[in-house]
């Protein structure tokens, strides 16, 4: 759909308009009574979310590129329909293809409390079907209010069951990594990617002082990012998710990635709600699975 048609069909006064950036990517720009946010139609990728009077909640790299077919560094990349490398084909893209293909707007509405609701559907084509030969639909529903609510809804529209891996690979904005502790995963088991996926049990709150890349398994716990520098806590409440991934690439890996910016990794942490590794979801024919998260801020 063209920019004009999107604005004609889906823009809402005092809530939402669509804009096109230089590279040709189109963004939904939300500006309502509670917050601002922007969402790229490519990947249904939430790039920013900032409640009024607050620092940004979501981290977006200063060097993020908005290029067709490329994932954006920061925001809320959608990992779907697998998380990490593909199970048996290493040539397929890591974290699936959903984050780099076009999605369409299905619905937008202003809610009675002043929030803005948007829903998006992934557009299938021959390339996506070749990578994922299962009949299915996936939608993202986003409510931008004082809090940000995100739901990823997958339906098996075929006749055979399939295994689904997924995550909302959310990058959170923090004052400095030395000022933050993640709580909620104490006593959970995790697989440590930095140590060849060895299994450990988390003892205390998570403090990050070097590369961290962990899949916490079989946990439905709410997580809290306590940030002494910003004097706030970000709450991450989730449903339909049994894995939580915590990631910070630290200096060397971030430098190699080239799109973090100097010391960019110090101002972010990923706390990802999903279903990965031993928690992948088996979806029977006709079944729908919903992964839902709410990100909210509390002053400390
Ligand atoms: O979720 C953590 C992780 O899987 C890391 O291993 C890491 O390299 C990363 O996601 C970022 O992946 P990307 O493909 O976006 O560069």
């Amino acid at each position: 759909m063209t920019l004009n048609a999107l604005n004609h069909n889906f823009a809402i006064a005092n809530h939402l308009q669509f804009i096109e950036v230089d590279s040709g990517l189109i963004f939904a720009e939300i500006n309502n009574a509670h917050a601002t946010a922007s969402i790229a139609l490519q990947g249904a990728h939430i790039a920013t979310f900032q409640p009024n009077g607050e620092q940004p909640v979501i981290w977006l790299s200063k060097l993020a590129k908005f290029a067709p077919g490329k994932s954006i560094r920061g925001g809320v990349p959608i990992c779907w329909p697998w998380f990490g490398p593909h199970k048996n084909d290493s040539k397929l893209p890591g974290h699936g293809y959903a984050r780099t293909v076009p999605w369409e707007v299905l619905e937008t509405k202003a809610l009675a409390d002043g929030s803005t609701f948007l829903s998006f559907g992934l557009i299938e084509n021959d390339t996506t079907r070749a990578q994922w030969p299962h009949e299915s639909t996936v939608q993202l529903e986003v409510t931008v209010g004082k809090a940000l609510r995100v739901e990823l809804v997958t339906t098996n529209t075929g006749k055979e069951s399939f295994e689904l891996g997924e995550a909302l690979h959310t990058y959170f904005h923090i004052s400095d990594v030395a000022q933050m502790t993640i709580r909620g995963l104490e006593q959970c088991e995790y697989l440590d990617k930095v140590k060849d996926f060895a299994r450990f049990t988390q003892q205390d709150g998570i403090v990050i002082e070097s590369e961290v890349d962990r899949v916490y398994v079989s946990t439905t716990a709410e997580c809290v990012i306590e940030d002494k520098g910003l004097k706030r806590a970000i709450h991450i409440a989730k449903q339909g998710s049994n894995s939580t991934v915590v990631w910070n690439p630290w200096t060397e890996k971030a430098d190699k990635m080239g799109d973090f910016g100097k010391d960019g990794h110090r101002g972010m942490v990923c706390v990802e709600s999903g279903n990965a590794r031993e928690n992948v979801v088996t979806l029977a024919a006709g079944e729908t699975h919903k992964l839902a998260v709410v990100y909210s801020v509390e002053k400390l």
Side-chain angles (χ1 to χ4, degrees):
M1 201 180 279
T2 64
L3 184 63
N4 278 346
L6 278 168
N7 275 314
H8 183 260
N9 293 337
F10 295 111
I12 308 171
N14 301 318
H15 278 267
L16 164 68
Q17 62 167 339
F18 294 86
I19 60 145
E20 187 170 336
V21 300
D22 288 347
S23 62
L25 259 52
I26 291 179
F27 284 77
E29 295 282 322
I30 298 105
N31 187 348
N32 63 28
H34 304 291
T36 57
S38 57
I39 307 171
L41 261 53
Q42 175 171 289
H45 192 129
I46 300 169
T48 64
F49 169 64
Q50 184 166 13
N52 295 344
E54 275 291 337
Q55 290 277 320
V57 170
I58 300 293
W59 181 86
L60 177 66
S61 173
K62 289 191 177 73
L63 299 188
K65 294 183 196 81
F66 305 124
K70 296 269 183 284
S71 180
I72 298 167
R73 181 66 64 202
V76 188
I78 297 175
C79 304
W80 188 97
W82 58 87
F83 180 86
H86 187 272
K87 210 169 153 189
N88 29 11
D89 187 348
S90 60
K91 288 195 286 303
L92 292 178
H95 292 326
Y97 55 82
R99 60 183 177 159
T100 55
V101 299
W103 292 53
E104 62 188 336
V105 179
L106 301 174
E107 188 188 359
T108 60
K109 60 186 175 191
L111 303 182
D113 69 354
S115 304
T116 311
F117 172 86
L118 306 94
S119 92
F120 304 88
L122 184 145
I123 303 171
E124 285 187 15
N125 58 33
D126 289 347
T127 316
T128 63
R129 276 186 283 266
Q131 297 183 47
W132 177 246
H134 304 289
E135 286 176 48
S136 59
T137 61
V138 59
Q139 296 183 3
L140 189 79
E141 302 191 341
V142 183
T143 307
V144 179
K146 202 167 166 357
L148 178 68
R149 183 177 178 88
V150 188
E151 300 190 7
L152 186 66
V153 185
T154 306
T155 299
N156 181 345
T157 52
K159 294 195 167 52
E160 315 263 311
S161 67
F162 58 73
E163 271 187 4
L164 171 71
E166 58 180 349
L168 297 167
H169 193 303
T170 308
Y171 292 71
F172 291 98
H173 168 72
I174 53 175
S175 58
D176 184 87
V177 66
Q179 299 285 320
M180 80 94 235
T181 306
I182 301 167
R183 306 209 188 269
L185 294 167
E186 296 83 348
Q187 307 316 318
C188 284
E189 289 195 352
Y190 65 90
L191 306 170
D192 193 341
K193 190 170 166 189
V194 176
K195 299 201 171 98
D196 225 2
F197 289 106
R199 189 178 283 262
F200 298 93
T201 300
Q202 182 68 39
Q203 300 302 334
D204 303 313
I206 302 168
V207 173
I208 297 183
E209 294 168 320
S210 59
E211 181 188 359
V212 168
D213 195 348
R214 302 175 182 169
V215 183
Y216 289 82
V217 290
S218 305
T219 172
T220 57
E222 173 170 334
C223 288
V224 180
I225 302 172
E226 277 179 17
D227 186 339
K228 282 189 276 187
L230 290 178
K231 297 191 178 57
R232 73 176 186 186
I234 298 173
H235 289 256
I236 303 161
K238 63 176 192 167
Q239 288 176 322
S241 158
N242 283 309
S243 317
T244 297
V245 178
V246 176
W247 181 56
N248 183 299
W250 213 246
T251 321
E252 207 181 318
K253 277 226 168 118
D255 285 351
K256 271 197 201 130
M257 288 178 156
D259 56 2
F260 265 82
K262 186 166 160 29
D263 288 333
H265 69 283
R266 297 204 65 92
M268 58 67 67
V269 65
C270 285
V271 180
E272 309 165 31
S273 303
N275 292 295
R277 299 195 68 98
E278 61 208 58
N279 298 134
V280 290
V281 174
T282 301
L283 216 55
E287 257 184 4
T288 292
H289 167 77
K290 188 191 280 188
L291 161 61
V293 297
V294 177
Y295 304 132
S296 59
V297 176
E298 175 200 7
K299 290 206 191 319
L300 290 179

